[in-house]
Amino acid sequence: MELDFERCYRAVDSRDQRFDGWFYTGVTSTGIYCRPSCPAITPKRDNVCFFPSAAAAQRAGLRACRRCHPDATPGSPDWDLRADLVGRAMRLIGDGVVDRDGVPGLARRLGYTERHLTRVLTEQVGAGPLALARAQRAQTARILVEKTGLTVAEVAFAAGFGSVRQFNDTFRAVYGLAPTGLRARLRAPAATAAPGAIAVRLAFRRPLPAAVLLGFLAARAVPGVEAATADAYHRALRLPYGPGAVTLTPHDDHVGAAFRLADLRDLAPAVARCRALFDLDADPAAVDATLGADPAFAAAVAAAPGVRVPGAVDGFELAVRAVVGQQISVAAARRVLARLCAATRPVTDSTVGTDPTTDSADPTATDTEARTELVPFPGPAELLELPDAAFAMPAARRGTLRALAAADDDGTIDLAPGADRAALVERLGALPGIGPWTTGYIAMRALADPDVLLGTDLGVRHGADRLGLPTAGAGLAGHAARWRPWRSYATVRLWLCTTDPTNGRTDRR
């Protein structure tokens, strides 16, 4: 990945936050690397070099700046835009695949040899998969050191390190001091929290219209799994090592994420999935510049800049939602999904959260009695075990859900963040009852494809009609060519143009 020195240096000199996460600034005279917006004095040109990833800077022997925390920047939006090997690998590494399955497991999922994968990542990102995973483990460890009272050994294994010695060596190399030294420098010790509870700040590129995002999720919240209030979103999570829950609270400069995890090894994938859900790695300036150049969108972009494409915390869950939502209203889909979830085996682990919107009026009620337990959305194996009566839908659609669950369960389809988008669309389309609208919706939200136009969606057509755009498939598709590569964002904006977000059977979103 080539970085233009002059452009990067201008961004550093102006402390432009828009470039945080796009690249990292290495200062050879001090041996540190920073985010472009670091408030420190701009280094001299002769002492500066630029890196496409934090792992690349660490590979060059630089340590992270303790002032700007470059490891806490938003991710590069390039990984969402790209559907090639590098983009897929970066999303899977972010989801913790290397920590769980090693580089061989990552290479198998991508369909390439370890040698080829390492060579391509090193060429384009500046570091191989092991170094990239190491950088992520170091960031997870720093969060645990700062935010919890765990011992060094507990932090080491929770962050994915194989030994305490490896953890200490990596931490010193990345941050320039031992874990105990960092904890000693904190102004206040980490607050004592319940086991598995941890709070994280999720960075993003401004602007972020939180009300729009929360409204979208609230309209689709499945009772018992998730809940949205005026200022926060709560949901249960199905994670690699066990259940969990999160509360996401948007603020002006970050999204607060309060996690409760059965296993702290799930912290990195939980963070990655919540970032995907809120589309926090997006580059709103680039998206709005393209869409705002179209007179049809100019007023909408000016009124609500930075609109995101809500993603998903679980690809299979999103696929089930898409199938259930075919040709029925959002409200009806919520009822069907709630019934499906209620029919599966309940999770009683104490780390799973509760629905804050169901407080009991009885002041003597216990917390368990006062609130509805939030349970993770069922996985494919659980769905396959349900009796026909639990589905509450026509036999054909029930068959589609069973086929989808069986395909995910046996590995025929891959709904992980780094799945091959083209291959997945083809394999999904081969399942009974799944057509172009469903595959496009899944690609847009589960795989973060930024360039999906759901031209046959009636909500999209209603929005296009309100903006004076052609509504016929060919006419709309032709006009939408100017929105590339951000047609997914245009699709969301067209949905937002509809006057009634629950417009009966025409709303399949």
Side-chain angles (χ1 to χ4, degrees):
M1 181 177 178
E2 296 184 5
L3 297 171
D4 181 82
F5 185 93
E6 289 300 324
R7 186 184 183 197
C8 291
Y9 192 80
R10 286 197 300 270
V12 171
D13 192 39
S14 62
R15 297 176 175 82
D16 195 331
Q17 294 182 353
R18 294 176 300 172
F19 289 91
D20 287 354
W22 276 103
F23 67 88
Y24 298 81
T25 307
V27 185
T28 56
S29 58
T30 60
I32 66 172
Y33 70 94
C34 306
R35 62 171 73 192
S37 65
C38 182
I41 297 174
T42 302
K44 296 179 180 179
R45 287 174 172 269
D46 293 342
N47 298 333
V48 171
C49 51
F50 299 106
F51 300 94
S53 66
Q58 294 169 17
R59 185 167 175 254
L62 304 178
R63 68 166 179 81
C65 174
R66 296 177 196 148
R67 186 172 182 180
C68 70
H69 292 299
D71 58 350
T73 60
S76 171
D78 205 24
W79 313 138
D80 286 343
L81 183 61
R82 294 171 60 164
D84 61 2
L85 173 61
V86 173
R88 294 172 59 205
M90 293 299 288
R91 290 192 288 273
L92 285 172
I93 292 171
D95 198 55
V97 169
V98 172
D99 293 333
R100 295 192 296 273
D101 304 328
V103 176
L106 175 66
R108 279 195 305 272
R109 296 186 70 162
L110 294 169
Y112 290 87
T113 65
E114 295 177 51
R115 182 177 180 181
H116 179 71
L117 173 61
T118 300
R119 179 179 61 81
V120 172
L121 284 174
T122 303
E123 288 176 354
Q124 298 194 36
V125 191
L130 276 177
L132 291 162
R134 172 180 178 266
Q136 178 169 282
R137 285 196 294 271
Q139 179 188 2
T140 302
R142 179 182 64 78
I143 294 171
L144 293 173
V145 168
E146 293 181 343
K147 303 292 186 180
T148 73
L150 296 176
T151 66
V152 169
E154 289 171 331
V155 170
F157 294 113
F161 289 94
S163 69
V164 174
R165 180 177 179 179
Q166 181 191 57
F167 165 55
N168 282 323
D169 290 345
T170 297
F171 205 91
R172 287 191 182 95
V174 173
Y175 298 111
L177 74 172
T180 52
L182 175 62
R183 184 168 281 172
R185 291 169 61 96
L186 298 177
R187 295 180 180 178
T192 302
I198 185 170
V200 180
R201 291 165 62 101
L202 307 181
F204 58 80
R205 296 175 183 85
R206 299 180 183 179
L208 176 70
V212 174
L213 191 57
L214 291 174
F216 185 97
L217 295 173
R220 294 154 183 79
V222 177
V225 174
E226 56 190 330
T229 58
D231 57 359
Y233 172 74
H234 318 258
R235 71 158 295 140
L237 301 169
R238 185 165 59 95
L239 297 165
Y241 291 106
V246 65
T247 293
L248 297 170
T249 308
H251 299 281
D252 289 341
D253 60 348
H254 72 279
V255 173
F259 293 101
R260 290 182 61 83
L261 305 173
D263 192 317
L264 285 176
R265 290 178 295 175
D266 279 326
L267 178 60
V271 167
R273 296 177 190 193
C274 289
R275 293 192 65 83
L277 177 65
F278 273 28
D279 195 16
L280 296 182
D281 291 335
D283 183 359
V287 176
D288 289 353
T290 298
L291 298 186
D294 186 340
F297 271 131
V301 169
V307 167
R308 301 304 210 266
V309 176
V313 295
D314 183 282
F316 176 73
E317 173 187 332
L318 195 282
V320 171
R321 288 172 178 258
V323 171
V324 170
Q326 293 171 354
Q327 299 180 343
I328 63 173
S329 70
V330 167
R334 289 180 65 193
R335 288 193 294 271
V336 173
L337 290 166
R339 181 168 177 174
L340 275 177
C341 294
T344 58
R345 178 176 56 84
V347 176
T348 58
D349 192 289
S350 61
T351 60
V352 175
T354 53
D355 182 348
T357 66
T358 58
D359 288 331
S360 169
D362 180 4
T364 64
T366 66
D367 184 71
T368 302
E369 295 169 338
R371 297 186 176 197
T372 301
E373 186 181 35
L374 292 180
V375 178
F377 196 89
E382 293 172 289
L383 225 59
L384 287 171
E385 294 175 355
L386 291 178
D388 290 349
F391 287 83
M393 60 185 66
R397 190 157 302 164
R398 182 175 67 239
T400 298
L401 281 184
R402 290 196 183 280
L404 175 67
D408 186 86
D409 194 47
D410 65 17
T412 302
I413 61 172
D414 180 10
L415 290 161
D420 185 319
R421 291 170 182 164
L424 177 63
V425 166
E426 180 180 353
R427 290 173 183 174
L428 282 172
L431 297 177
I434 294 184
W437 180 89
T438 306
T439 57
Y441 188 87
I442 294 170
M444 182 177 76
R445 293 195 59 195
L447 302 186
D449 188 338
D451 199 32
V452 174
L453 176 69
L454 299 179
T456 62
D457 184 273
L458 294 182
V460 168
R461 292 188 177 186
H462 289 167
D465 183 59
R466 286 181 58 82
L467 294 179
L469 297 172
T471 57
L476 181 59
H479 185 92
R482 68 187 70 185
W483 302 334
R484 286 184 176 273
W486 311 116
R487 293 184 298 172
S488 295
Y489 293 84
T491 294
V492 173
R493 285 193 175 275
L494 290 172
W495 282 338
L496 295 174
C497 287
T498 58
T499 56
D500 181 4
T502 56
N503 53 351
R505 296 182 62 84
T506 65
D507 188 348
R508 302 184 296 169
R509 304 190 294 281

